[in-house]
Amino acid sequence: MFKKILIANRGEIAVRIIRTCHELGIETVAIYSTADETSLHVQLSDEAVCVGGPKAMDSYLNMKNILMAATALGCDAVHPGFGFLSENATFARLVEECGMTFIGPSGDVIDMMGNKSAARKLMISAKVPVVPGSKGSIKNAEEAVTCADEIGYPVLIKAAAGGGGRGMRKAFSKDEITQAFETARAEAKACFNDDEMYIEKLIVDPKHIEFQILADNFGNVVHLGERDCSIQRRNQKMIEEAPSKALTPLLREKMGADAVKAAKAANYANAGTIEFVLDNKGNYYFIEMNTRIQVEHPVTEMITGIDLIREQIRIASNQPLSLKQNEIKLNGHAIECRINAEDFKHDFRPCPGIVDSVHIPGGLGVRIDTALYQGYRVTSHYDSMVAKVIVHGNNRLEAIRRMRRVLEELVINGVETTQELQYLILHHPEYIKGNFTTSFIENNLDEMVR
Ligand code: ADP
């Protein structure tokens, strides 16, 4: 087992990882930018090293400084968290070249699944259902027109390197496709410095259903059930839950088996997520694999009792999975709200500032993952998520009622947040019935904000 792990991240996920390391008796090294000197992850870690200035490029993406800190302080592994360098194959390889273990899959697997067009091809060969779409990449607008004619409208133009919902545009007819293709490609170039594009059929009003998998270095793969992440705004998740009300035990078994098949086809090791869209007829299609721990992992932890960070560390240290598929039981229901420092009444504009008072709720079945404290400054340099509120109940209705109670109690003063919007969603009759798709926020926002 590792003795000392460097956590190449910040905020709540760095805190989350430090907590598990300490429970396992592993020392931690935190990294921070000059904007994060007083952050909670710095205070909770055994050691902390400043790796650069506020801009992510200078600090949390500064591979050289991070690797120097890790080797100088004698770390034997690096946990990348999510975002930043977590899906950077070069970083994963460099960690290993420096004689340490990257807590995640190999650089080659990250590369393969990071190219969503290549991942599609792999899934087709593994006989995992994928959304009907282009065979390979689409080079220009003319090819896009031909391809969309073949697939049939509406279509979704996607960046092979895409993430966070960027580099993606819908086209409902031939009139829209050229413009949609060019905009998506320009965005992909700007965001990822990579403009490889592909096209999928747009599944109208699907649910986003993803499966958590764990795979060890000995070829064992299990799934830990699904998460329903359909409550999204502009392809960014806002509320997640597990299990999904839309899945029967039979469908769960089928999709879970396909998720395991997908991970095996990729020769995957460590924790990963297979994302699907599910239509209203029970058809599901692979859209992508995330090769890291995800923001929404706590809902799976709440219903399985499995610490996913602990499993990641065990797998990386060459231990076999601690559980077999038939030992994994899903208990009750869990919901997570991502509280972002954003003004949802004004197009979700980011709201940096000082949090002058904060009250963190508690009680049975409540978990708050946050790095907030009184006087904390939310900076505009990084992601606007400031807290994850997670609840567990014996059933979905209990979880909904518990989440409402927790959101009533939670106080974050000084910055605008999405808390009120999430509270409203938890009272929406269609949400309560489980009648929602990825279009829910788009269709209901005006009514809820008014
Ligand atoms: P990213 O890597 O940017 O998150 P994804 O491929 O995971 O991109 O897609 C993000 C979201 O877009 C999904 O959660 C889903 O809501 C929607 N989406 C993706 N592909 C399709 C599709 N073919 N049809 C309908 N919706 C889709």
Side-chain angles (χ1 to χ4, degrees):
M1 183 43 85
F2 308 120
K3 290 198 169 54
K4 203 192 258 192
I5 296 178
L6 178 133
I7 295 137
N9 216 299
R10 66 181 296 279
E12 71 77 26
I13 190 62
V15 170
R16 159 76 192 86
I17 298 164
I18 290 168
R19 287 180 172 146
T20 290
C21 289
H22 286 171
E23 287 175 15
L24 293 173
I26 300 171
E27 281 179 54
T28 58
V29 175
I31 57 163
Y32 63 97
S33 73
T34 50
D36 276 344
E37 257 160 351
T38 56
S39 287
L40 196 59
H41 73 284
V42 176
Q43 296 174 50
L44 290 183
S45 184
D46 300 296
E47 291 170 273
V49 188
C50 180
V51 288
K55 283 197 195 118
M57 277 313 288
D58 298 334
S59 48
Y60 299 105
L61 292 172
N62 187 333
M63 295 192 221
K64 193 169 147 223
N65 284 6
I66 295 171
L67 291 167
M68 268 173 24
T71 44
L73 292 174
C75 296
D76 37 24
V78 175
H79 197 304
F82 50 67
F84 296 122
L85 296 168
S86 61
E87 290 178 293
N88 186 311
T90 305
F91 183 66
R93 289 188 188 106
L94 286 174
V95 169
E96 302 279 334
E97 277 168 29
C98 291
M100 299 174 288
T101 303
F102 178 77
I103 303 177
S106 70
D108 290 351
V109 171
I110 296 176
D111 264 342
M112 186 170 49
M113 302 316 273
N115 183 313
K116 300 203 287 185
S117 175
R120 255 177 77 81
K121 271 194 202 155
L122 181 71
M123 292 308 137
I124 294 168
S125 65
K127 302 207 161 42
V128 173
V130 302
V131 189
S134 56
K135 288 194 183 65
S137 54
I138 297 288
K139 293 191 182 51
N140 50 47
E142 290 86 76
E143 269 188 43
V145 173
T146 319
C147 176
D149 276 341
E150 276 168 31
I151 307 170
Y153 288 92
V155 297
L156 190 60
I157 300 154
K158 294 171 102 171
R166 281 168 313 196
M168 206 186 286
R169 285 292 179 283
K170 296 172 185 169
F172 289 88
S173 69
K174 208 168 186 155
D175 305 339
E176 293 175 9
I177 185 121
T178 304
Q179 169 85 45
F181 180 83
E182 297 301 351
T183 327
R185 186 163 68 171
E187 192 171 284
K189 181 81 190 157
C191 294
F192 315 111
N193 195 27
D194 181 342
D195 62 0
E196 186 185 337
M197 307 303 290
Y198 66 106
I199 298 185
E200 278 179 3
K201 176 104 186 148
L202 177 76
I203 309 298
V204 178
D205 284 353
K207 273 185 165 283
H208 173 114
I209 304 289
E210 58 183 36
F211 273 75
Q212 176 70 53
I213 63 101
L214 287 173
D216 65 18
N217 294 335
F218 309 98
N220 304 306
V221 185
V222 294
H223 76 82
L224 276 64
E226 79 283 3
R227 295 184 283 258
D228 186 330
C229 311
S230 306
I231 304 292
Q232 312 181 342
R233 178 185 168 261
R234 300 203 179 147
N235 303 317
Q236 306 248 26
K237 300 161 188 167
M238 282 194 77
I239 302 180
E240 302 97 344
E241 61 182 277
S244 169
K245 206 165 181 285
L247 265 60
T248 59
L250 195 65
L251 184 54
R252 175 168 305 114
E253 204 175 302
K254 214 167 138 220
M255 291 179 80
D258 272 336
V260 168
K261 199 155 78 176
K264 284 191 171 160
N267 263 326
Y268 199 81
N270 216 284
T273 300
I274 313 287
E275 296 191 336
F276 297 102
V277 283
L278 171 71
D279 72 14
N280 57 8
K281 296 185 190 71
N283 302 309
Y284 60 91
Y285 310 94
F286 168 89
I287 50 171
E288 70 161 339
M289 177 170 198
N290 287 316
T291 57
R292 53 170 160 81
I293 195 75
Q294 287 192 268
V295 174
E296 59 273 25
H297 77 275
V299 290
T300 300
E301 295 186 326
M302 297 292 260
I303 63 159
T304 58
I306 297 171
D307 178 335
L308 287 169
I309 302 290
R310 175 175 181 268
E311 291 305 314
Q312 284 197 292
I313 295 172
R314 282 176 50 92
I315 292 166
S317 69
N318 252 330
Q319 298 184 41
L321 290 183
S322 49
L323 289 151
K324 296 196 179 60
Q325 189 67 57
N326 61 12
E327 292 169 330
I328 295 162
K329 301 271 179 279
L330 310 182
N331 296 312
H333 202 94
I335 305 178
E336 172 182 274
C337 288
R338 301 184 184 195
I339 310 294
N340 291 342
E342 290 169 1
D343 184 353
F344 70 91
K345 291 182 180 150
H346 293 98
D347 205 27
F348 292 81
R349 68 174 175 218
C351 279
I354 292 179
V355 177
D356 41 45
S357 65
V358 46
H359 168 72
I360 303 292
L364 180 67
V366 178
R367 165 174 171 184
I368 315 278
D369 280 19
T370 182
L372 277 187
Y373 53 81
Q374 198 154 316
Y376 177 82
R377 177 185 286 279
V378 179
T379 95
S380 54
H381 294 292
Y382 314 112
D383 191 84
S384 58
M385 189 176 75
V386 290
K388 301 193 311 209
V389 176
I390 308 117
V391 299
H392 183 257
N394 287 316
N395 53 53
R396 188 166 183 269
L397 190 57
E398 194 176 292
I400 289 176
R401 298 185 76 135
R402 183 157 288 153
M403 181 61 90
R404 292 177 186 166
R405 185 271 289 173
V406 171
L407 292 179
E408 281 166 12
E409 226 181 278
L410 176 71
V411 177
I412 302 172
N413 279 341
V415 295
E416 296 294 332
T417 76
T418 52
Q419 180 180 347
E420 184 189 331
L421 175 62
Q422 279 140 333
Y423 186 67
L424 291 169
I425 295 172
L426 282 147
H427 287 82
H428 198 288
E430 298 306 315
Y431 177 80
I432 297 165
K433 284 187 223 156
N435 267 346
F436 56 84
T437 69
T438 54
S439 312
F440 179 86
I441 293 196
E442 204 181 308
N443 294 343
N444 293 288
L445 186 64
D446 284 351
E447 177 207 336
M448 285 188 291
V449 168
R450 239 187 290 125

